[in-house]
Amino acid sequence: MPRVAILTGSKSDLPVLEPCVQTLTELGIDHELLVMSAHRSPARVQQFAATAADSGFEVIIAAAGMAAHLPGAVAAWTPLPVIGVPLGQPGATAVSGLDALLSIAQMPPGVPVGCMAVNGARNAALFAAAILALKYPAVRQALERFRKEQSA
Ligand code: RP5
């Protein structure tokens, strides 16, 4: 089955990622949720990202707040598609997620990261599903079912 890695920069981010986990589960997509920080555990990020494709992951979702370098740091080490989720709770920083949004969106040419809305965890799961749906008919069917139910 397809596998998605959900990475996040801190345990404090986990509640915001619940819709991502829930949506992947609903769509029947295997996933692993791992906490690692581009700044606090850079060696772990490198180790994970450099081996992720060989480990069988097909899409990586990377969420982080503040300077939010995790998605870009991961993308630097893997050819897999990386979907970035900027995080920001009201009042958590002076700019409430705008920092993370710009950090993730403004990647230099050559190392792209897809960028969701601030706290767009659910859409990250759906975007990962759309990528996997190109290869896996079961994911495509699950996604089509979701879209129909959403429109009903
Ligand atoms: C980022 O710094 C994390 O993704 C988190 O959003 C933010 C604050 O982390 P903690 O100080 O709560 O661990 O790297």
Side-chain angles (χ1 to χ4, degrees):
M1 275 304 285
R3 282 172 74 207
V4 173
I6 309 167
L7 312 180
T8 193
S10 169
K11 279 185 190 166
S12 69
D13 299 329
L14 291 176
V16 187
L17 290 174
E18 274 170 24
C20 179
V21 174
Q22 189 187 336
T23 302
L24 290 174
T25 302
E26 284 168 10
L27 295 173
I29 297 171
D30 289 341
H31 51 273
E32 275 180 44
L33 176 59
L34 302 162
V35 177
M36 60 184 76
S37 163
H39 308 109
R40 293 167 173 160
S41 54
R44 182 160 188 236
V45 171
Q46 177 185 352
Q47 166 67 21
F48 174 83
T51 58
D54 286 343
S55 301
F57 290 104
E58 293 178 272
V59 179
I60 297 176
I61 295 169
M66 304 183 80
H69 290 139
L70 182 62
V74 169
W77 287 103
T78 181
L80 295 174
V82 177
I83 302 169
V85 185
L87 302 179
Q89 299 307 311
T93 70
V95 287
S96 302
L98 185 59
D99 39 11
L101 176 66
L102 294 177
S103 178
I104 293 173
Q106 293 291 85
M107 285 295 291
V111 189
V113 167
C115 185
M116 299 294 105
V118 174
N119 300 327
R122 189 164 171 79
N123 268 1
L126 293 170
F127 198 68
I131 294 169
L132 294 167
L134 295 169
K135 182 175 167 189
Y136 296 98
V139 176
R140 183 173 170 173
Q141 284 160 14
L143 196 53
E144 284 173 355
R145 210 165 36 244
F146 167 85
R147 296 290 284 260
K148 266 191 202 144
E149 283 167 11
Q150 178 176 249
S151 306

